[in-house]
Amino acid sequence: MPTVPNRFALTTPLYYVNALPHVGSAYTTIAADVVARFYRLQGDEVLLITGTDEHGQKIQRTAEALGRSPQEHCDRVAEGFQDLWQKLGISYDRFSRTTDERHRPIVNQFFQRVWDKGDIYLGQQQGWYCVDCEEFKEERDLVGDRHCPIHTNRPVEWRDERNYFFRLSKYQDALLDYYAKHPETIQPSSRRNEVLSFIERGLEDFSISRVNMDWGFPIPTDPSHTIYVWFDALLGYVTALLEPDQEPTLENALAHWWPINLHIIGKDILRFHAISWPAMLMSAGLPLPGQVFGHGFLTKDGLKMGKSLGNTLDPFALVESYGSDAVRYYFMKEVEFGRDGDFSETRFIHILNADLANDLGNLLNRTLKMAWKYCDGKVPTVNPQELGPEHPLRELAETILGDYAATYKNLEFHRLCQRALSLARAGNKYIDDQAPWSLYKQGQTEAVSQILYGVLESVRLVAYLLAPIVPQLSSQIYQQLGYDREFLTTQDLAYWSTQTPQDRWGQLKPSQVLAQPQPVFQKLQSPTLVAE
Ligand SMILES: Nc1ncnc2c1ncn2[C@@H]1O[C@H](COP(=O)(O)OP(=O)(O)OP(=O)(O)O)[C@@H](O)[C@H]1O
Ligand SMILES: [Zn+2]
């Protein structure tokens, strides 16, 4: 009987279109793509949502400064995002733009639910506003001469206006209660603690409308106000759930994929996702997303890289110089997900050469050459089970395979890379120790076959383990091992993940014809991009 696949829906933030994407936006999106690819390889039905947040004062002002209409500006920048995602191999299923005409009915219907619940009222808003965050800041959090702690280059602005408010305070206890019962919902745990202590300090209602600002949707019950950009942006996740030809109703949007399993975001927008958003959903009577993971910042000289500060690294140039797998691998391996990390081009080159060119690429290359020399260019004809459980490579591989899925599910990408690479390193050591070239000279062909099989099978497993992170490289390795180029990406994954599971020892078919050895990862040259 065919099994029904599990469903997994996840999102990146919808990025502001105040400027083209930078390496920080790429970082989150790469991580989300890795997770999506992992679940697809498990045979699950996956929906990866990314997109752009296009309303609000920040966008209106940026467009004005550039002499463009806001829509023209958004169209251009949204295209830039899509272009980068394509270059980085991001396999997104939906690109949600908050200026999409289907978004407005969803926002209106959601607003109506919250309105009917009595959670929206008119009040007076006073406070310090950071346009770059599109958020009111508490006086005690400001730095220097009233500057936002994240956007230290621009002072916050004083606001005193009549706005509609959302009754966030009403949900304080419900949120605490929910997070006590579902502690896994906010990750990593340091972020959970941060959110909990913020809630415990007391939640204040927040304004969800703006006056004198018309780049957004009007409040349905009072069109002289514009809906606050964050209220509309968070709902972009819901609009994204609609099928392309579906009528845009809230009911349709929520029917198949809701609740979303995972929001991957940076820690700058944690409160929106772990406080405002769940409270809005509670008000609308909807179940909450499974998890919010707030990762750390890529920093430059200790400050968050960002479009507003302009201290960023151009991801287009990075991909152009080094290729998408290199960029993906570096950020997943080098920065522990959840913590901050600085970028260094020298380190970038060092890690890629050490891991992918030497430990993995060379291992495959030298072993393939031996297989051509000693085994007629075929996977050695041995029964994989003859390599018993105590075989050193098999033993290590099976230990890693025992928990790699949990490692991915916990978003421990750096650990996954380390573990996969430890298998490649063990393969190199094993082949050096065994010296099959001497055994061949002594006529011990059976032993040679066994050794080469063990190493090639280990390389296959490393490629499989890393496939969500370096999809092109893994596909190339599979191809060298005699599989179709597309084996890991366009096969009927749901089928083969159950029929010929790739995450087991001994799947490499004896006698399968190998490809001619070719380097799968070119060594990178010295830094070219950033002066260090
Ligand atoms: N330096 C960074 N490190 C890690 N992630 C980042 C970084 N900058 C942006 N991001 C990602 O982008 C999200 C914020 O998107 P946004 O469009 O506000 O980009 P931004 O560059 O931070 O903009 P701005 O500098 O104008 O605030 C973060 O939550 C995170 O997912
Ligand atoms: Zn700010």
Side-chain angles (χ1 to χ4, degrees):
M1 213 175 72
T3 49
V4 182
N6 291 321
R7 274 186 208 143
F8 198 88
L10 76 163
T11 74
T12 72
L14 303 186
Y15 303 103
Y16 279 133
V17 289
N18 57 322
L20 285 172
H22 60 90
V23 80
S25 353
Y27 179 61
T28 319
T29 312
I30 291 169
D33 185 62
V34 168
V35 177
R37 286 177 185 268
F38 162 75
Y39 280 102
R40 287 194 202 107
L41 281 172
Q42 303 285 297
D44 290 356
E45 196 191 337
V46 173
L47 192 78
L48 173 58
I49 296 167
T50 187
T52 41
D53 174 5
E54 307 189 355
H55 287 137
Q57 189 144 41
K58 165 153 140 172
I59 305 307
Q60 192 176 35
R61 284 187 187 173
T62 308
E64 255 164 38
L66 292 167
R68 301 174 185 158
S69 77
Q71 190 62 61
E72 184 198 345
H73 172 76
C74 293
D75 291 348
R76 281 204 206 185
V77 179
E79 206 172 291
F81 274 86
Q82 286 168 341
D83 183 26
L84 180 63
W85 301 156
Q86 196 254 330
K87 292 191 160 81
L88 277 170
I90 306 298
S91 58
Y92 61 84
D93 300 287
R94 300 283 156 80
F95 192 92
S96 187
R97 298 183 57 184
T98 56
T99 56
D100 181 340
E101 58 181 30
R102 302 189 323 152
H103 185 46
R104 185 162 169 176
I106 300 295
V107 173
N108 285 351
Q109 289 167 36
F110 188 90
F111 180 94
Q112 195 62 45
R113 283 203 191 191
V114 178
W115 179 268
D116 292 345
K117 190 75 170 279
D119 285 343
I120 294 173
Y121 65 92
L122 198 57
Q124 190 71 17
Q125 172 74 64
Q126 285 185 326
W128 295 107
Y129 195 71
C130 172
V131 175
D132 286 325
C133 286
E134 293 276 17
E135 186 182 20
F136 281 97
K137 299 281 165 181
E138 295 193 27
E139 179 119 33
R140 64 170 171 229
D141 291 335
L142 301 178
V143 297
D145 185 15
R146 294 223 174 86
H147 285 62
C148 164
I150 298 177
H151 302 106
T152 49
N153 60 338
R154 214 142 2 148
V156 291
E157 300 174 14
W158 178 252
R159 293 288 160 85
D160 184 356
E161 56 185 47
R162 264 186 108 55
N163 286 164
Y164 284 93
F165 279 75
F166 171 67
R167 273 186 221 286
L168 182 64
S169 57
K170 178 173 152 188
Y171 293 95
Q172 177 165 330
D173 293 341
L175 284 171
L176 286 175
D177 192 45
Y178 187 87
Y179 289 140
K181 288 195 185 115
H182 303 91
E184 73 295 346
T185 321
I186 307 172
Q187 292 295 330
S189 55
S190 55
R191 300 274 126 73
R192 178 173 63 238
N193 296 338
E194 203 180 299
V195 168
L196 291 182
S197 64
F198 189 84
I199 302 177
E200 278 156 5
R201 277 187 348 209
L203 293 181
E204 290 177 10
D205 298 346
F206 68 92
S207 65
I208 57 161
S209 78
R210 296 289 180 269
V211 286
N212 307 321
M213 206 293 292
D214 55 10
W215 184 238
F217 298 132
I219 291 268
T221 50
D222 180 354
S224 66
H225 287 249
T226 301
I227 295 186
Y228 168 48
V229 54
W230 267 103
F231 193 87
D232 135 23
L234 289 162
L235 288 165
Y237 299 138
V238 174
T239 305
L241 302 177
L242 287 165
E243 292 300 320
D245 49 3
Q246 231 176 354
E247 196 195 336
T249 65
L250 193 53
E251 205 185 344
N252 281 344
L254 297 168
H256 187 72
W257 288 100
W258 191 264
I260 282 166
N261 301 76
L262 174 65
H263 291 301
I264 302 184
I265 57 166
K267 63 184 178 181
D268 49 335
I269 52 177
L270 182 66
R271 285 181 200 168
F272 292 111
H273 285 79
I275 298 176
S276 320
W277 181 223
M280 285 162 60
L281 292 166
M282 283 176 176
S283 172
L286 297 176
L288 305 189
Q291 188 172 97
V292 174
F293 194 106
H295 65 66
F297 287 155
L298 302 183
T299 53
K300 179 98 183 78
D301 308 323
L303 285 174
K304 170 183 175 258
M305 287 186 189
K307 298 191 287 288
S308 300
L309 277 182
N311 57 347
T312 60
L313 188 70
D314 177 10
F316 290 95
L318 211 51
V319 182
E320 184 85 359
S321 302
Y322 300 117
S324 66
D325 278 346
V327 178
R328 297 168 64 104
Y329 185 78
Y330 174 81
F331 285 113
M332 294 299 99
K333 161 94 191 275
E334 181 61 1
V335 186
E336 184 178 332
F337 208 57
R339 292 176 184 267
D340 293 353
D342 240 40
F343 177 82
S344 143
E345 198 178 5
T346 309
R347 184 135 182 84
F348 179 93
I349 289 173
H350 171 75
I351 286 184
L352 288 156
N353 284 345
D355 290 7
L356 301 189
N358 290 340
D359 289 344
L360 181 55
N362 274 354
L363 176 63
L364 172 65
N365 203 254
R366 66 198 282 228
T367 317
L368 272 184
K369 282 184 181 150
M370 286 185 240
W372 275 92
K373 212 158 156 191
Y374 309 142
C375 309
D376 295 331
K378 292 188 182 143
V379 175
T381 312
V382 297
N383 175 357
Q385 299 314 322
E386 276 170 23
L387 281 60
E390 70 296 336
H391 184 284
L393 293 179
R394 176 170 174 179
E395 197 178 9
L396 177 61
E398 291 186 334
T399 309
I400 296 170
L401 291 168
D403 68 0
Y404 87 102
T407 307
Y408 267 121
K409 287 177 186 171
N410 294 335
L411 315 194
E412 295 172 295
F413 311 119
H414 69 291
R415 177 161 191 267
L416 194 286
C417 292
Q418 282 164 4
R419 306 268 283 164
L421 259 290
S422 74
L423 184 56
R425 287 194 191 109
N428 278 307
K429 177 165 188 310
Y430 180 74
I431 211 160
D432 291 344
D433 291 349
Q434 299 292 320
W437 48 90
S438 314
L439 296 174
Y440 186 76
K441 281 193 197 132
Q442 294 160 20
Q444 299 193 41
T445 48
E446 205 162 314
V448 170
S449 291
Q450 287 208 352
I451 294 164
L452 295 185
Y453 183 90
V455 178
L456 289 173
E457 174 61 347
S458 301
V459 173
R460 182 192 69 77
L461 282 167
V462 177
Y464 176 78
L465 288 165
L466 292 178
I469 298 172
V470 285
Q472 290 187 17
L473 174 64
S474 291
S475 289
Q476 260 168 292
I477 293 176
Y478 259 68
Q479 187 185 26
Q480 295 258 295
L481 292 173
Y483 295 87
D484 280 353
R485 177 85 175 85
E486 312 299 331
F487 187 86
L488 284 172
T489 46
T490 58
Q491 287 273 325
D492 181 350
L493 296 177
Y495 174 79
W496 72 245
S497 65
T498 49
Q499 300 300 312
T500 54
Q502 295 296 294
D503 56 358
R504 310 272 157 85
W505 177 266
Q507 287 297 323
L508 185 61
K509 279 203 208 77
S511 310
Q512 176 160 289
V513 179
L514 299 163
Q516 285 294 335
Q518 266 167 14
V520 284
F521 192 90
Q522 295 291 346
K523 245 188 155 139
L524 305 178
Q525 301 308 316
S526 41
T528 51
L529 289 178
V530 253
E532 290 183 0

